[in-house]
Amino acid sequence: MKLNRRSVLGLIGTVGIGSGAAFGSGAFSTVSATREVEVNVVGADGNGSEIATEFTDVLVDASADEVALRNSNDDLVTDATTLFPTSSDSLATDGGTTVSTDYVSLIANDVSVVFGYEDGGTDERLMPNSTYDYDSGFFKLVNNDGNSTAFNVELSTGSGLLSDINGSGDTHSEEVSAGGVSDLSATLETGDSAQETEDLTITITEV
């Protein structure tokens, strides 16, 4: 059963890079090009809501300069600490690992994650035809299950924007034990077309 659909990835091609490493041969362009990834969170056996709640969270690291969020009102949010988890929230594993407020929940928040943006005097747009590598921890899987239940989490894409997840290509599957945390890397490849979209499906199943 589908829990929700979120527009997760928007890119506006031109300049700027934060913590990611960029490579590419694309010519400099001032033409705005939007890329979006539609996120589906899925649970097995028609019980998706309960499974997602039990598992705890799938989060994305928004600490890089070029990464921002867009809320359900279509407002750009450049301060990730204003979204869940905030400093007043307690998101920690049974083992005591606390999740930084630079992370934003892809389950609890109705947000888009924006890669490359221009906001007033701030220009963090990305180069077209380039590759951006985000280190381990870009996606964080957190299982804070007091019932000692392990979950399998699969992240799957298909159109080449998020071209690699944790070295597994466009599909990565990870078992997360009770109280455990898994950190995943990601590779983003910008194209040169005016509009690029793909789906990112997050499937959570009980082991």
Side-chain angles (χ1 to χ4, degrees):
M1 177 178 72
K2 181 181 70 176
L3 293 186
N4 43 47
R5 294 181 65 85
R6 298 187 182 92
S7 174
V8 131
L9 179 61
L11 293 106
I12 299 176
T14 13
V15 280
I17 178 169
S19 63
F23 308 88
S25 58
F28 185 88
S29 172
T30 58
V31 177
S32 294
T34 301
R35 285 87 171 180
E36 296 183 355
V37 172
E38 188 80 15
V39 172
N40 302 285
V41 182
V42 179
D45 303 323
N47 201 23
S49 180
E50 181 178 341
I51 285 179
T53 300
E54 289 177 358
F55 175 70
T56 304
D57 227 328
V58 177
L59 305 106
V60 64
D61 184 0
S63 63
D65 290 342
E66 75 276 14
V67 178
L69 296 308
R70 195 175 303 282
N71 63 25
S72 58
N73 296 321
D74 203 34
D75 299 321
L76 190 70
V77 180
T78 58
D79 183 1
T81 66
T82 63
L83 297 168
F84 181 85
T86 68
S87 58
S88 61
D89 297 314
S90 178
L91 184 58
T93 71
D94 293 339
T97 300
T98 301
V99 177
S100 164
T101 54
D102 285 331
Y103 282 90
V104 174
S105 169
L106 295 179
I107 293 178
N109 298 296
D110 184 10
V111 295
S112 302
V113 180
V114 179
F115 287 75
Y117 66 92
E118 185 177 18
D119 182 34
T122 302
D123 193 341
E124 297 291 351
R125 292 176 293 176
L126 302 180
M127 292 292 294
N129 300 312
S130 299
T131 299
Y132 292 80
D133 290 317
Y134 294 90
D135 293 336
S136 178
F138 182 71
F139 289 113
K140 187 179 288 287
L141 316 179
V142 180
N143 184 6
N144 189 31
D145 187 357
N147 295 319
S148 301
T149 302
F151 290 89
N152 188 79
V153 181
E154 182 184 271
L155 281 70
S156 179
T157 68
S159 300
L161 292 178
L162 284 174
S163 61
D164 187 271
I165 301 172
N166 213 52
S168 300
D170 59 13
T171 299
H172 179 78
S173 185
E174 185 92 5
E175 182 176 324
V176 188
S177 61
V181 177
S182 291
D183 291 322
L184 310 181
S185 62
T187 297
L188 176 73
E189 295 189 13
T190 66
D192 58 4
S193 64
Q195 184 75 32
E196 293 180 327
T197 62
E198 74 173 356
D199 291 333
L200 169 64
T201 300
I202 301 172
T203 306
I204 303 172
T205 54
E206 188 173 327
V207 175

